[in-house]
Amino acid sequence: MDRLANTVRPYAWGSVTAIPELLGVEPTGAPQAEMWMGAHLGAPSRIDRGAGPVSLAEVIDAAPEAELGADAVRAFGPRLPFLLKLLAAGSPLSLQVHPDLAQARAGFADEERRGVPIDAGHRNYKDANHKPELVCALTPFDGLCGFRHPAQAADLLDGLAVDALKPYADILRASPEQDALREVLTAVLTAEHDAMAETVEQAAAAAAELGAGDGPHAASYAAYAAIAHHYPGDPGVIAAMLLNYVQLQPGEALFLGAGIPHAYLNGLGVELMANSDNVLRCGLTPKHVDVPELLRIVRFESRDPGVLRPEAVDGEEIYETPIDEFRLSRFVLAPGATPRPLDARTPQVLLCTAGTVVLRGEAAADGELVLAPGESAFVRAGERVALTGEGTLFRATVVA
């Protein structure tokens, strides 16, 4: 087992305080948005097996079967197929969708063929992999996830009493679901800039007023007003009103599959995803928005956000998803309890989020590793480890 040294990404939307508070360190004054744990080439964790710090990605590349196990390599290739993060949103992230595996492979191959530089601002596909993801709240956590039913979205828009939004509400009520959602999102994202900016300003003012009341959509209106505060005039504010507003409590989670529009708004969470960086943006961002490609990827169907709660299996609380590349689970350890062994068949990244967790090897020579909040470890496949202590530990691995 290896203690991980991880990189914190200072994206502008990050919280200044949430990650430092978890780590028990003083804030730097700059945003600290994400802490990456894994072997993603953008910011791989580092380990030290006695010869000095080295990238976990390099360690896996040198001996993939020894680190990941033959089954994982056979199923997912010679790399760690997931990336674990601490995500701390102090302001809204971009409204976005991710491609499925076939779309990612085709899009990546097309941009490679056309010679689009991998770091170009207008490049959509950074790799040939899909990016399903799961976020689990550590604090109250707000987000947007999936389209509302068109009639519900129409009611919400009508409640703002903004004349420019009435045609959108009419379409949402009159057309079949997929056609209605596609037509309205297309119209919002392709509208004339100044006219849309004025519409957003009027909608934001109305949402702020309604959000301060006690009506049935008050919480949603307040969230949309807050989004508009961070992104004044952005058409993504109106696009966001088509989506479900979700408030997660600690321990609750959301799964985001391919084509599902979503955005994280505020809060600290544990995020687990396939090892990819493919994002198509709908708005709430100064970055590139490729509307035609976005509309090709989005799934125009209403859905329940599907808040996940873990299922306990022999003391391990598992967040079930339809993805094999990753599985997230949680252990809440009590003092004096019998050491809890971990399944050793697969590679694992372990993250402590509360208290103190002790990782103890099967043999006395294997020693032990003590994790405090925000500290993490990599356990290679085949290495037998048991958990003790008093605290909370998240386990990221693959489906065996």
Side-chain angles (χ1 to χ4, degrees):
M1 50 192 167
D2 301 284
R3 185 182 299 277
L4 296 178
N6 305 308
T7 297
V8 175
R9 311 305 293 265
Y11 305 137
W13 49 262
S15 168
V16 173
T17 59
I19 289 178
E21 285 178 358
L22 183 68
L23 296 174
V25 299
E26 287 295 319
T28 64
Q32 298 189 37
E34 296 180 346
M35 186 172 78
W36 290 21
M37 292 158 280
H40 191 287
L41 295 180
S45 301
R46 301 181 73 80
I47 65 174
D48 188 344
R49 291 181 176 170
V54 62
S55 160
L56 180 60
E58 294 177 5
V59 171
I60 291 172
D61 285 346
E65 287 199 7
E67 301 296 331
L68 306 178
D71 290 343
V73 171
R74 190 178 305 114
F76 310 113
R79 65 172 190 166
L80 191 66
F82 59 81
L83 175 64
L84 184 66
K85 298 179 180 179
L86 276 174
L87 184 147
S91 60
L93 284 67
S94 61
L95 187 60
Q96 59 190 257
V97 296
H98 305 305
D100 64 25
L101 189 55
Q103 292 165 338
R105 287 173 174 170
F108 180 77
D110 175 64
E111 291 186 321
E112 288 288 280
R113 178 184 56 79
R114 292 190 285 115
V116 181
I118 197 71
D119 58 352
H122 63 284
R123 176 138 185 170
N124 293 316
Y125 298 95
K126 308 294 187 183
D127 53 67
N129 200 16
H130 61 166
K131 193 189 176 190
E133 59 191 43
L134 176 75
V135 63
C136 178
L138 295 179
T139 67
F141 192 97
D142 295 353
L144 306 173
C145 178
F147 287 110
R148 295 175 181 270
H149 187 279
Q152 295 173 352
D155 288 344
L156 188 140
L157 293 180
D158 276 343
L160 295 169
V162 173
D163 289 344
L165 295 178
K166 187 177 186 306
Y168 300 149
D170 291 343
I171 294 169
L172 289 167
R173 288 199 174 92
S175 300
E177 178 175 292
Q178 291 191 5
D179 294 341
L181 294 171
R182 178 183 292 274
E183 185 174 353
V184 171
L185 183 63
T186 302
V188 168
L189 297 181
T190 58
E192 194 274 327
H193 177 271
D194 290 345
M196 178 52 67
E198 183 177 351
T199 298
V200 171
E201 183 179 353
Q202 294 173 7
E209 183 174 347
L210 292 166
D214 57 1
H217 297 301
S220 294
Y221 284 133
Y224 298 132
I227 292 171
H229 172 75
H230 290 286
Y231 294 98
D234 192 312
V237 174
I238 306 301
M241 294 180 179
L242 303 176
L243 307 186
N244 297 295
Y245 171 57
V246 186
Q247 295 175 294
L248 298 180
Q249 295 304 310
E252 295 180 332
L254 287 175
F255 172 73
L256 292 311
I260 305 302
H262 62 279
Y264 304 141
L265 304 180
N266 186 270
L268 177 67
V270 173
E271 186 180 33
L272 182 58
M273 62 183 60
N275 199 1
S276 173
D277 198 24
N278 286 325
V279 176
L280 289 133
R281 298 174 178 86
C282 314
L284 311 183
T285 178
K287 295 182 179 180
H288 175 63
V289 177
D290 184 337
V291 174
E293 184 67 5
L294 169 74
L295 296 174
R296 193 178 72 84
I297 298 300
V298 171
R299 293 184 180 178
F300 290 99
E301 54 190 37
S302 62
R303 66 190 299 272
D304 183 277
V307 174
L308 295 177
R309 296 170 182 85
E311 298 180 10
V313 180
D314 296 329
E316 181 178 14
E317 300 176 340
I318 300 171
Y319 294 88
E320 293 288 355
T321 72
I323 297 298
D324 289 342
E325 286 98 324
F326 62 72
R327 188 180 77 169
L328 185 69
S329 59
R330 182 179 67 171
F331 293 89
V332 180
L333 303 172
T338 302
R340 189 175 301 281
L342 298 181
D343 187 332
R345 294 174 296 166
T346 58
Q348 306 169 67
V349 174
L350 308 176
L351 168 67
C352 176
T353 59
T356 300
V357 176
V358 180
L359 314 182
R360 187 165 294 144
E362 182 180 43
D366 294 333
E368 65 180 33
L369 196 61
V370 180
L371 300 182
E375 294 184 333
S376 57
F378 172 70
V379 180
R380 73 187 90 178
E383 187 172 12
R384 299 187 179 278
V385 172
L387 308 177
T388 60
E390 182 179 4
T392 301
L393 180 119
F394 282 86
R395 176 181 182 243
T397 186
V398 300
V399 176

